[in-house]
Amino acid sequence: MADPRFFRNLGPFALARICEKVGIGVPQGADGAHQVFDLADLAGSGPPHLTFFSGAVAHRETFAASQAGVCLTRDGGKRPAAPAGMIVLEVDSVGRAFASVASLFYPEHSQPRWPQQDSVSPSARLGRDVELAPGVVIGPGAEIGDGTRLGPNTVIGPSVAIGRHCEIGANVSISHAYIGDRVIILPGARIGQPGFGFATTGEDYLKVPQLGRVIVQDDVEIGSATTIDRGALGDTVIGEGSKIDNLIMIAHNCQIGRHCVLAGQVGLAGSVVLEDGVVLAGQVGLGDHTRVGARARLGARAGTGSSIFLEGGQDYGGAPAKPVREWAREIHALARLAKQRKQDKND
């Protein structure tokens, strides 16, 4: 569900209005006056909520156990039987339909509104010994903990909460986020911007509202010019003690465990999960919904496609990533083959 600190919900809406918005009729036997109060993901939804099920095999069990009152799903798609009491809305495109409904509930979902104000909003709450460099802007309702220092031209969005004894560098922007204690954020980082979520209309692309947050736990360091997008419905989470280098892209809904290390120019697509203690060397790229087990290590420029699981406690290399010894054997075998072909050609 969207955090009311950051997003204003215009609901509830009647089921008939939602069906009209997505271009379908009210399902047979359903009450068009049924009220839908908010949006939520499959796992976190209850009777007042609308959710969606794309048909992915990985989410079938979650769909079957969901408590959602209303669920968007693909017309004619194969799926488990809907739970008792769930109203199923069958649509041509789940992504497009959800984007339309989300925009109905949350039309102001992209960038926060900035009322005309002094640089620091009168409603912002600053702890003891907070240091503000020239040009700092702090939005309404924001909270800054004791002893935190903010560098020049840094922008803290409305309702953002930052913990104690943090160091925030120059030209940092933070929105839709909760930041823990003793966090270091180096100059130029961008935290909490909307994720790269679009649904195709066949001719164009429709923005899917990004209604989640970024949660940065204690003792994290985030490098210069790194971007961490907020979640779509859930949160993007950076676990306690993790260290993130410069020029790194972390997409919406990623879950990074505790004490992970990400070197420069790593790129994580949406919904990547890194369990505790994972190490990613420079320019590693992981496709969406990839999961990396605890204490696994990926060498430089290693990568995966979508929905891949890499077991923990191993070293990986190459693209697609493989256990490093297997990858090294393949590299040596290719080198020998190339050398042999060259010799055969010369002969």
Side-chain angles (χ1 to χ4, degrees):
M1 294 174 287
D3 188 333
R5 282 178 63 107
F6 302 118
F7 303 98
R8 187 164 68 98
N9 183 349
L10 299 189
F13 292 97
L15 178 65
R17 176 72 179 95
I18 291 172
C19 290
E20 178 186 7
K21 184 70 174 177
V22 300
I24 63 172
V26 175
Q28 186 175 2
D31 179 7
H34 174 83
Q35 296 290 297
V36 179
F37 288 83
D38 205 349
L39 312 173
D41 60 16
L42 273 172
S45 54
H49 302 135
L50 178 143
T51 190
F52 67 93
F53 173 53
S54 65
V57 173
H59 299 150
R60 289 170 68 89
E61 291 185 5
T62 308
F63 169 76
S66 177
Q67 299 298 309
V70 180
C71 182
L72 296 164
T73 189
R74 190 172 59 189
D75 185 12
K78 294 182 179 180
R79 62 176 183 272
M86 177 186 284
I87 300 171
V88 175
L89 304 182
E90 295 187 336
V91 293
D92 292 337
S93 169
V94 173
R96 187 166 68 243
F98 180 77
S100 297
V101 175
S103 295
L104 187 66
F105 279 88
Y106 297 97
E108 299 176 359
H109 58 79
S110 182
Q111 297 293 327
R113 288 186 176 273
W114 288 87
Q116 290 184 342
Q117 60 173 53
D118 296 330
S119 295
V120 178
S121 171
S123 65
R125 292 188 287 176
L126 275 60
R128 296 185 303 273
D129 302 319
V130 170
E131 297 182 16
L132 306 181
V136 167
V137 176
I138 301 178
E143 301 175 22
I144 312 294
D146 296 346
T148 286
R149 296 187 289 127
L150 304 181
N153 301 318
T154 281
V155 177
I156 307 301
S159 300
V160 166
I162 298 176
R164 297 168 294 177
H165 305 293
C166 296
E167 297 179 17
I168 314 295
N171 299 301
V172 169
S173 66
I174 303 175
S175 70
H176 305 86
Y178 295 113
I179 310 295
D181 295 337
R182 301 174 302 280
V183 171
I184 298 173
I185 303 176
L186 299 183
R190 304 286 184 250
I191 297 173
Q193 293 304 305
F196 193 67
F198 296 89
T200 181
T201 65
E203 297 179 352
D204 200 352
Y205 292 91
L206 186 64
K207 180 69 175 177
V208 178
Q210 304 291 288
L211 303 174
R213 308 169 297 184
V214 174
I215 309 296
V216 179
Q217 296 178 359
D218 296 345
D219 300 304
V220 167
E221 180 163 336
I222 297 169
S224 296
T226 284
T227 61
I228 303 175
D229 289 344
R230 66 180 183 258
L233 272 178
D235 296 324
T236 301
V237 179
I238 312 298
E240 176 185 356
S242 289
K243 311 302 180 188
I244 297 171
D245 199 359
N246 303 330
L247 294 168
I248 285 176
M249 170 64 206
I250 298 174
H252 56 193
N253 294 98
C254 285
Q255 307 287 305
I256 295 178
R258 297 175 298 168
H259 307 295
C260 294
V261 176
L262 281 64
Q265 296 186 337
V266 161
L268 306 184
S271 301
V272 165
V273 175
L274 306 182
E275 297 181 8
D276 295 348
V278 167
V279 176
L280 304 183
Q283 295 189 338
V284 165
L286 302 182
D288 59 282
H289 295 89
T290 289
R291 187 180 191 98
V292 182
R295 297 177 301 283
R297 301 188 300 179
L298 275 70
R301 295 190 175 183
T304 69
S306 300
S307 302
I308 303 297
F309 173 66
L310 300 180
E311 293 184 2
Q314 296 193 51
D315 292 345
Y316 295 88
K322 299 177 182 179
V324 69
R325 290 187 178 180
E326 179 182 344
W327 171 67
R329 285 196 300 268
E330 291 181 359
I331 293 296
H332 291 313
L334 286 171
R336 288 196 300 269
L337 179 60
K339 182 178 180 180
Q340 182 62 51
R341 287 189 173 181
K342 184 177 180 180
Q343 290 176 347
D344 292 345
K345 184 177 180 181
N346 291 337
D347 291 344

